[in-house]
Amino acid sequence: MLFPEIETPSLLIEETTLCRNIDMMQRLADRFKVRLRPHIKTHKSTVIARMQLANGACGIAVAKLSEAEMMVRDGIRNIQIANQVVGTSRVTRLLELAQQAEVSCCIDSPDNARELSEVFSAEGRVLKVLVEIDTGLHRCGLSDPDDVIRLCRLVEQLGGLELAGIMTHAGMPMPLPALRK
């Protein structure tokens, strides 16, 4: 047994490989002059998230509000929730989170935009939102370009929201181009 003192199941990370991968992703983003916002869905670790931020990432992305709350509790201050936040209790939690960190989330319906707007504008706060586009997985997002435009225009009219852009999730792995040193 390689590490008899470690009980299973247990996550072991080879630090050299981790650092190399973090550096490679940041260099790729820098090469194409884009801001890197890594999704923490694989590691769910504030330690690794801080390593990514220290290496140049502009923030992190999470899947769920509870993941964002965990990251903020541990000092991460720029978080995109790469999903919709729906329902009174979750929107209230999002508002509380926005008082501690810079957060944004996705929307894909006028009802959700109005719900977020009502809560954030009542508190004099502004939430950055990204309109999610369905690029073929049919999980969430809008597929009709006219619906996308209508939702973007609605966000611009509502108080408490700022249109930060659009986003999509293709969900299929793509090979990375080789980096030259």
Side-chain angles (χ1 to χ4, degrees):
M1 187 178 229
L2 189 57
F3 298 102
E5 70 279 5
I6 297 176
E7 294 185 24
T8 60
S10 180
L11 175 65
L12 300 177
I13 299 173
E14 205 292 306
E15 188 174 5
T16 304
T17 301
L18 172 65
C19 292
R20 184 181 66 237
N21 288 344
I22 290 171
D23 183 61
M24 179 187 71
M25 286 305 300
Q26 188 62 55
R27 286 191 297 124
L28 183 63
D30 294 345
R31 176 174 156 195
F32 288 100
K33 297 180 179 21
V34 295
R35 292 180 299 158
L36 177 64
R37 180 183 293 276
H39 202 301
I40 60 102
K41 70 173 127 191
T42 300
H43 61 71
K44 294 188 184 188
S45 162
T46 55
V47 171
I48 296 173
R50 276 197 291 281
M51 291 171 71
Q52 292 170 309
L53 292 165
N55 205 57
C58 69
I60 61 163
V62 300
K64 303 184 319 180
L65 184 58
S66 60
E67 293 170 346
E69 290 167 331
M70 175 196 60
M71 291 287 156
V72 168
R73 269 194 307 274
D74 221 14
I76 308 297
R77 295 291 180 251
N78 189 316
I79 302 170
Q80 177 186 69
I81 301 169
N83 267 311
Q84 293 72 30
V85 178
V86 180
T88 304
S89 66
R90 286 186 182 97
V91 172
T92 301
R93 285 168 50 201
L94 179 63
L95 176 64
E96 291 169 7
L97 201 61
Q99 294 167 349
Q100 303 169 59
E102 183 179 337
V103 296
S104 60
C105 70
C106 298
I107 59 171
D108 66 358
S109 76
D111 288 343
N112 187 214
R114 289 184 188 98
E115 177 182 34
L116 292 166
S117 169
E118 184 178 315
V119 170
F120 276 77
S121 59
E123 293 295 320
R125 310 270 318 168
V126 175
L127 174 68
K128 292 182 179 181
V129 295
L130 298 103
V131 173
E132 187 164 3
I133 298 174
D134 177 8
T135 51
L137 289 180
H138 310 300
R139 291 177 10 178
C140 51
L142 300 170
S143 55
D144 181 332
D146 291 332
D147 289 341
V148 172
I149 292 168
R150 276 192 287 276
L151 187 53
C152 289
R153 287 185 175 148
L154 176 63
V155 168
E156 290 178 339
Q157 295 169 1
L158 293 171
L161 300 181
E162 177 185 329
L163 182 61
I166 59 173
M167 76 156 276
T168 189
H169 171 64
M172 287 73 70
M174 298 170 52
L176 294 174
L179 291 177
R180 289 182 171 74
K181 290 188 177 191

